[in-house]
Amino acid sequence: MEKNRFSILTILLVTLVLILSLSFSTYSPTDRRLLVLLDDLSLKSSHSIFFNSIKSRGFDLDFKLAGDPKLALQRYGQYLYDGLILFSPSIKRFGGALDLALATGCGVDFDDADVEFMMH
């Protein structure tokens, strides 16, 4: 069951990356920064063919652990990355302020702490 979830997640991530790659302007090389969040840094080598194919298209990949407490998507009101790739299906909480940033960006409202959430 977990293997099927991981396979589905991988397919969805590949599809997302392809869609994102089509949305970037070829005239603006600054639109090429992608943050890759991993459960384990060993995924970087085990999925190297996938990541190298993205790099060969001109994207700059920044690999970080999903639980890193220093994670941030913005600094001084400016986005640090143009896209996000999640290879962290087993993570319960993202590091830094990423949980809130992802929830806000995706339309998730949280009730009181540890109660439940609602998606719109």
Side-chain angles (χ1 to χ4, degrees):
M1 187 66 136
E2 282 297 316
K3 189 174 184 178
N4 288 339
R5 284 186 185 171
F6 186 74
S7 297
I8 292 171
L9 179 65
T10 302
I11 291 169
L12 289 173
L13 288 173
V14 170
T15 305
L16 176 65
V17 169
L18 291 175
I19 291 170
L20 286 174
S21 68
L22 294 175
S23 68
F24 288 105
S25 167
T26 56
Y27 300 108
S28 179
T30 59
D31 292 338
R32 302 289 198 175
R33 300 167 300 173
L34 298 176
L35 174 62
V36 181
L37 295 180
L38 306 168
D39 273 344
D40 186 329
L41 288 177
S42 66
L43 288 170
K44 184 177 175 181
S45 61
S46 66
H47 291 72
S48 61
I49 294 172
F50 173 71
F51 293 128
N52 286 334
S53 73
I54 296 172
K55 286 181 184 178
S56 71
R57 292 182 178 99
F59 292 96
D60 296 321
L61 302 180
D62 188 7
F63 294 92
K64 296 194 178 189
L65 290 174
D68 184 353
K70 296 179 183 176
L71 282 178
L73 296 177
Q74 291 184 28
R75 184 173 297 134
Y76 306 116
Q78 298 290 322
Y79 283 102
L80 301 173
Y81 304 98
D82 301 302
L84 177 64
I85 300 174
L86 299 174
F87 263 79
S88 49
S90 66
I91 196 80
K92 299 222 186 269
R93 270 194 112 63
F94 291 104
L98 218 53
D99 281 334
L100 183 60
L102 290 175
T104 304
C106 297
V108 177
D109 291 329
F110 289 93
D111 284 341
D112 295 329
D114 297 326
V115 176
E116 61 182 81
F117 68 95
M118 297 175 287
M119 291 187 68
H120 300 269

